[in-house]
Amino acid sequence: MSTALHTDRYELTMLDAALRDGTADRHCVFELFGRRLPGGRRFGVVAGTGRLLSLIQDFRFGDDELRFLRDERVVDAATLDFLEGYRFGGSITGYREGELYFPGSPILTVEGSFAEAVILETLALSVLNHDSAIATAAARMAIAAGERPLSEMGSRRAGEHSAVAAARAAYIVGFAATSNLEAGRTWSIPTMGTAAHAWTLLHDTEEAAFRAQIDALGVDTTLLIDTYDIHEGVATAVRVAGTSLGGVRIDSGDLPIVAGQVRAQLDELGAAKTRITVTSDLDEFAIASLAASPVDSYGVGTSVVTGSGYPTAGMVYKLVARQDAAGSWVGVEKASVDKASKGGRKAAFRTLDQGTATSELIVVSDGFEELDTVATHPDARALHVPLVVAGEPDAAYLGREGVTAARAHHSRVLEELPVRALALSRSDPAIPTVFVERDG
Amino acid sequence: MSTALHTDRYELTMLDAALRDGTADRHCVFELFGRRLPGGRRFGVVAGTGRLLSLIQDFRFGDDELRFLRDERVVDAATLDFLEGYRFGGSITGYREGELYFPGSPILTVEGSFAEAVILETLALSVLNHDSAIATAAARMAIAAGERPLSEMGSRRAGEHSAVAAARAAYIVGFAATSNLEAGRTWSIPTMGTAAHAWTLLHDTEEAAFRAQIDALGVDTTLLIDTYDIHEGVATAVRVAGTSLGGVRIDSGDLPIVAGQVRAQLDELGAAKTRITVTSDLDEFAIASLAASPVDSYGVGTSVVTGSGYPTAGMVYKLVARQDAAGSWVGVEKASVDKASKGGRKAAFRTLDQGTATSELIVVSDGFEELDTVATHPDARALHVPLVVAGEPDAAYLGREGVTAARAHHSRVLEELPVRALALSRSDPAIPTVFVERDG
């Protein structure tokens, strides 16, 4: 499946014009970054990188794509010829998937001719903006949940493909499982599930429904006990399953109170090991408010797949440096009000003091030397890694292996955050972004 | 491409248990509806129906899907056999795509055996919740824009597939075009585009960029004039293109003021017919605030693809009636706090007084007679149409034809709304939902 038309029309008309006036070959550096963190959050999480690298491999113009562009007269014949042979042959360096980011962090640096790099803008932003928005919200939920496992179960509240990407992003920041089977198949994310209210309503009595579920799935299953009356539901559940019942799920009501009542009832009935899962409209704040309640695990739906109020990360893709007609490098930036960009190629480092992050240090240059290798600070971690070299993605970041690596990386770098970064209230970014100019 | 695993795991484990205990064959009625309108909106717009009907046709379990379910032990061998032969053979009646909806509107009624109907829940909700959220927000923007054309250009702020669905939903409620080429190819939605700041920055001067764009695309193109200084940008644009320049785009600044300044400058330069397009972080409120400004068209990005604050419509899919063991019909409903459902099969009518909607009339029955044919009100329009009969979707609602029909239907039914429905402020739904019980 070609991904090439997941692209704004103007990318191709700019290409068309650039092929005519000879600027298409100018070597360019595009940078993908966010100007700010949405919602007064204290850090962002990069996600989608592995998906993007794979989608770029499928960014090819086949007969169908070319026919559409020809029929719609989007570009001229010379541009169609160029697109027919198109394959991104440039390089991409950037933050690893799972890495944290802050305002101005140069999350991806895409280098190549104007022609080959400009047309990746829409796809790159679609993937990174969506997946990073989910990961950033989900990371806060994971922090609020502490040691208690979280499951992502919001597929029904997101577009059918975005749902799979959301499950993947949530897993990278520490969710234990997803309800989405496609995410299980595509990305090997553990899948989970309990039962719906429809299951109870299908049966003539709640008891018949519980019995049938246990016959099919064993006593370790989780019974949904709030279809009618919760107190009766719990009593029926333990009567049918015995005290070895795996779990009960509560999907409504005032959860801190109800969870306490259900725990007391379960204990009284001798079902002390039966777990309580809660799933009703949880977000990071609701999860935090349940910290002292006897809850064993959380299922999160709407809020995680919609980025808990911020469904897009707001990242942009800007030309920051290019060659001029003579082949010299020029840093470029726009001056638009509130939307200024910072010209120049960047390298990024997280400075650390005894293992705790102190700043996002961004070294800027108009030139093109190897900024990444500059030791700018004794206790700094370089944030850029090569993701694509001469058009070839690094396999370590692709597929299921990439997801596993991203999850491990996220867990590691989260440890570097100062404690104040873990609070949920609106605030400034946890560490400042510091730009340092370097002569080109 | 099979869509069958875009499904929550519990749908299949409930199926598994139902096949064991014999309830899988019980004839069931599931209803898809929203309990409330998000954000104090006055009406909702149904979108996604045509996509869903087509995705249901691809809801088949092939070798890959069955292997995954077997390897992961999601269901047992008998259930795998059932799924291998699965094809939805029931019926779906519901609101047409583009129709308005209100709290409790029975947007889709899915009838069939429990087995065949329950497993469509996740996919149906993913599609309708996403697409209806976009359409509902976009419809408010279209109302705010009045006669001025709107373009959807938010692909970069939404997952790459959801972006295509969003372009489609926005078109249904009156947007004129999209920037997304895949939406153009798949759904025949007109595509448009101008140029990015990168185009100007690629060139040694703004003038060179404008000249190259005009050489390639002609003087009717739209030049982006805010990369550096807007006043100079306009002067350069007219100097290069002449007074026949098609349009200029403003993507930053205080738009009401800037639009007025640019209009005055263009007029002074003799470019009285040059159009002004504005595109900076617009939502329905910003569009409304530009009503008196000399703006010719709007480009909307983030806010439309994210549902302008409400990225999901919050619809649910509930079992409302089923057969009991003896084959008699029973209306069923859950009692969960704040999430109660209303049992019984429903028919829906929009009552009208001299062509203006006065209520959403929902006739409820525990039984199974043909509610849709009941003339319940002299001036009422029946809202349900057959979408799928014995597993076969009505082709009129599919593909590009379906999009065209939905756009026309939306335009027609919007005329029925009382004037107060068109205001943007938070309020109650524009018309009340009235439930009428009818003996089964």
Side-chain angles (χ1 to χ4, degrees):
Chain A
M1 284 286 288
S2 167
T3 58
L5 295 187
H6 288 281
T7 298
D8 287 330
R9 181 178 169 123
Y10 79 178
E11 316 290 2
L12 299 192
T13 54
M14 287 191 284
L15 168 64
D16 189 273
L19 286 169
R20 284 184 197 229
D21 84 343
T23 50
D25 289 335
R26 288 188 171 190
H27 205 86
C28 286
V29 178
F30 283 88
E31 186 183 307
L32 188 151
F33 64 98
R35 292 197 180 91
R36 54 194 74 85
L37 295 173
R41 291 182 177 161
R42 299 177 183 210
F43 62 90
V45 180
V46 176
T49 322
R51 291 210 308 119
L52 175 62
L53 299 186
S54 162
L55 293 169
I56 289 175
Q57 291 184 291
D58 297 329
F59 197 95
R60 307 292 293 269
F61 294 81
D63 290 345
D64 276 1
E65 290 75 33
L66 295 170
R67 186 179 315 111
F68 170 75
L69 297 175
R70 186 182 303 114
D71 291 351
E72 294 292 312
R73 300 195 177 136
V74 175
V75 293
D76 69 10
T79 306
L80 289 172
D81 283 348
F82 174 88
L83 293 175
E84 188 170 5
Y86 178 80
R87 182 178 171 285
F88 178 69
S91 76
I92 304 178
T93 54
Y95 282 39
R96 286 189 189 196
E97 191 159 12
E99 183 59 82
L100 311 179
Y101 75 91
F102 297 91
S105 295
I107 291 163
L108 288 186
T109 301
V110 180
E111 304 188 18
S113 68
F114 178 76
E116 68 185 341
V118 72
I119 62 179
L120 297 181
E121 176 179 30
T122 311
L123 184 66
L125 288 174
S126 287
V127 173
L128 273 284
N129 268 327
H130 174 268
D131 292 16
S132 301
I134 308 307
T136 298
R140 290 157 54 87
M141 297 172 192
I143 289 168
E147 297 296 309
R148 296 173 178 175
L150 283 163
S151 292
E152 182 282 314
M153 32 191 276
S155 295
R156 61 191 57 194
R157 301 293 170 86
E160 71 278 13
H161 291 285
S162 289
V164 182
R168 181 183 177 282
Y171 183 69
I172 285 172
V173 298
F175 274 53
T178 177
S179 63
N180 188 293
L181 291 169
E182 190 62 62
R185 169 166 72 169
T186 307
W187 303 108
S188 290
I189 298 170
T191 60
M192 59 71 65
T194 61
H197 294 102
W199 176 250
T200 301
L201 296 173
L202 172 67
H203 289 83
D204 299 329
T205 63
E206 191 172 49
E207 177 165 348
F210 289 174
R211 198 173 300 283
Q213 185 175 336
I214 283 162
D215 286 350
L217 303 174
V219 291
D220 197 43
T221 192
T222 296
L223 297 173
L224 176 59
I225 45 85
D226 71 343
T227 304
Y228 304 115
D229 177 84
I230 289 179
H231 192 263
E232 280 178 37
V234 171
T236 305
V238 176
R239 189 169 68 250
V240 172
T243 53
S244 309
L245 174 61
V248 296
R249 174 160 81 100
I250 310 169
D251 185 46
S252 56
D254 186 359
L255 293 177
I257 293 172
V258 175
Q261 291 169 337
V262 168
R263 180 75 270 159
Q265 188 183 359
L266 285 169
D267 290 349
E268 198 176 299
L269 293 168
K273 291 191 174 164
T274 298
R275 296 176 298 274
I276 296 177
T277 296
V278 297
T279 58
S280 186
D281 288 336
L282 297 180
D283 61 11
E284 62 269 47
F285 304 102
I287 292 168
S289 74
L290 286 160
S293 295
V295 169
D296 298 283
S297 63
Y298 304 98
V300 188
T302 305
S303 70
V304 64
V305 300
T306 58
S308 198
Y310 301 92
T312 178
M315 294 167 182
V316 295
Y317 183 90
K318 295 294 169 191
L319 180 63
V320 293
R322 61 159 172 86
Q323 287 181 316
D324 62 19
S328 298
W329 281 93
V330 187
V332 295
E333 56 192 55
K334 64 172 179 162
S336 318
V337 177
D338 289 338
K339 293 187 177 179
S341 54
K342 191 156 190 68
R345 190 162 171 268
K346 323 267 190 327
F349 304 85
R350 190 149 302 144
T351 60
L352 302 162
D353 180 4
Q354 300 188 330
T356 299
T358 54
S359 78
E360 193 82 341
L361 179 67
I362 301 174
V363 184
V364 187
S365 169
D366 281 357
F368 201 60
E369 64 276 32
E370 290 299 316
L371 285 167
D372 291 350
T373 62
V374 177
T376 54
H377 195 287
D379 293 309
R381 182 163 66 80
L383 296 168
H384 275 180
V385 295
L387 297 167
V388 175
V389 176
E392 283 304 320
D394 187 328
Y397 303 115
L398 297 176
R400 297 157 184 194
E401 210 181 310
V403 172
T404 306
R407 184 171 157 100
H409 185 68
H410 178 74
S411 166
R412 206 155 47 231
V413 299
L414 203 63
E415 297 291 322
E416 293 173 357
L417 277 181
V419 174
R420 69 174 176 281
L422 308 182
L424 297 178
S425 56
R426 283 172 174 263
S427 184
D428 293 328
I431 55 173
T433 301
V434 178
F435 286 93
V436 177
E437 305 281 339
R438 193 158 169 284
D439 291 336
Chain B
M1 284 285 289
S2 167
T3 58
L5 296 188
H6 287 280
T7 297
D8 287 329
R9 181 179 169 121
Y10 80 178
E11 315 290 2
L12 299 192
T13 54
M14 285 191 284
L15 168 65
D16 188 273
L19 287 168
R20 284 184 197 230
D21 85 342
T23 51
D25 290 334
R26 288 188 170 188
H27 204 87
C28 286
V29 178
F30 283 88
E31 186 183 306
L32 189 150
F33 65 97
R35 292 197 180 91
R36 54 193 74 87
L37 296 173
R41 293 186 177 158
R42 300 177 183 210
F43 63 92
V45 180
V46 176
T49 322
R51 292 210 307 121
L52 175 62
L53 298 185
S54 162
L55 294 169
I56 289 174
Q57 290 184 291
D58 297 327
F59 198 94
R60 306 292 293 270
F61 293 82
D63 290 346
D64 275 2
E65 290 74 35
L66 295 168
R67 187 179 314 114
F68 170 74
L69 298 174
R70 185 183 303 114
D71 291 351
E72 295 293 311
R73 299 195 178 137
V74 175
V75 293
D76 70 11
T79 306
L80 289 172
D81 284 347
F82 174 89
L83 292 175
E84 189 170 5
Y86 178 80
R87 182 178 170 286
F88 179 69
S91 76
I92 305 179
T93 55
Y95 283 38
R96 286 189 190 195
E97 190 158 12
E99 184 58 84
L100 311 179
Y101 75 90
F102 298 92
S105 295
I107 293 164
L108 289 186
T109 301
V110 179
E111 304 188 20
S113 68
F114 177 77
E116 67 185 343
V118 72
I119 62 178
L120 297 181
E121 177 180 29
T122 311
L123 184 64
L125 288 173
S126 287
V127 173
L128 273 282
N129 269 327
H130 174 268
D131 292 16
S132 301
I134 306 306
T136 298
R140 289 156 56 86
M141 296 171 193
I143 289 167
E147 297 297 309
R148 296 175 178 173
L150 282 163
S151 293
E152 182 283 311
M153 33 190 275
S155 296
R156 61 190 58 193
R157 302 293 168 86
E160 69 280 14
H161 292 285
S162 290
V164 182
R168 182 184 177 280
Y171 182 69
I172 286 173
V173 298
F175 274 53
T178 177
S179 63
N180 189 294
L181 291 168
E182 189 62 62
R185 171 167 69 169
T186 307
W187 303 108
S188 291
I189 297 169
T191 60
M192 58 70 66
T194 60
H197 293 103
W199 176 252
T200 301
L201 295 174
L202 172 67
H203 289 81
D204 298 329
T205 63
E206 192 172 46
E207 178 167 346
F210 289 173
R211 197 173 300 284
Q213 186 176 335
I214 283 164
D215 287 349
L217 304 174
V219 290
D220 198 43
T221 192
T222 296
L223 297 173
L224 175 60
I225 44 84
D226 72 341
T227 304
Y228 305 113
D229 177 82
I230 291 180
H231 192 264
E232 281 180 36
V234 171
T236 305
V238 177
R239 188 169 67 247
V240 171
T243 53
S244 309
L245 174 61
V248 296
R249 174 161 80 99
I250 310 169
D251 185 45
S252 55
D254 186 356
L255 293 178
I257 292 173
V258 175
Q261 291 169 337
V262 168
R263 181 74 270 159
Q265 189 182 359
L266 285 169
D267 291 350
E268 197 177 303
L269 293 168
K273 291 193 173 160
T274 299
R275 297 176 298 274
I276 296 177
T277 297
V278 297
T279 58
S280 185
D281 287 336
L282 297 180
D283 61 12
E284 61 270 47
F285 303 102
I287 292 168
S289 74
L290 285 161
S293 295
V295 168
D296 298 283
S297 65
Y298 304 98
V300 188
T302 305
S303 70
V304 65
V305 300
T306 58
S308 199
Y310 301 91
T312 178
M315 295 167 182
V316 296
Y317 184 90
K318 295 293 169 193
L319 181 64
V320 293
R322 61 159 172 86
Q323 288 181 318
D324 63 17
S328 299
W329 280 94
V330 188
V332 295
E333 56 191 56
K334 63 171 180 163
S336 318
V337 177
D338 289 338
K339 291 187 179 181
S341 53
K342 189 153 193 69
R345 189 162 172 269
K346 322 266 192 326
F349 304 85
R350 190 149 303 143
T351 61
L352 302 161
D353 181 2
Q354 300 187 331
T356 299
T358 54
S359 78
E360 192 83 338
L361 179 66
I362 301 174
V363 184
V364 187
S365 168
D366 281 356
F368 201 60
E369 65 277 33
E370 290 298 315
L371 285 168
D372 292 348
T373 63
V374 177
T376 54
H377 194 286
D379 294 309
R381 182 164 65 82
L383 296 168
H384 275 178
V385 295
L387 298 167
V388 176
V389 177
E392 283 303 319
D394 187 328
Y397 303 115
L398 297 175
R400 295 156 184 193
E401 210 181 310
V403 172
T404 305
R407 185 172 158 99
H409 185 69
H410 178 74
S411 166
R412 206 154 47 230
V413 299
L414 202 63
E415 296 291 322
E416 294 173 357
L417 277 180
V419 174
R420 68 172 176 282
L422 308 181
L424 297 177
S425 56
R426 285 171 174 264
S427 183
D428 292 329
I431 56 173
T433 302
V434 178
F435 287 93
V436 177
E437 306 280 340
R438 191 157 172 286
D439 291 336

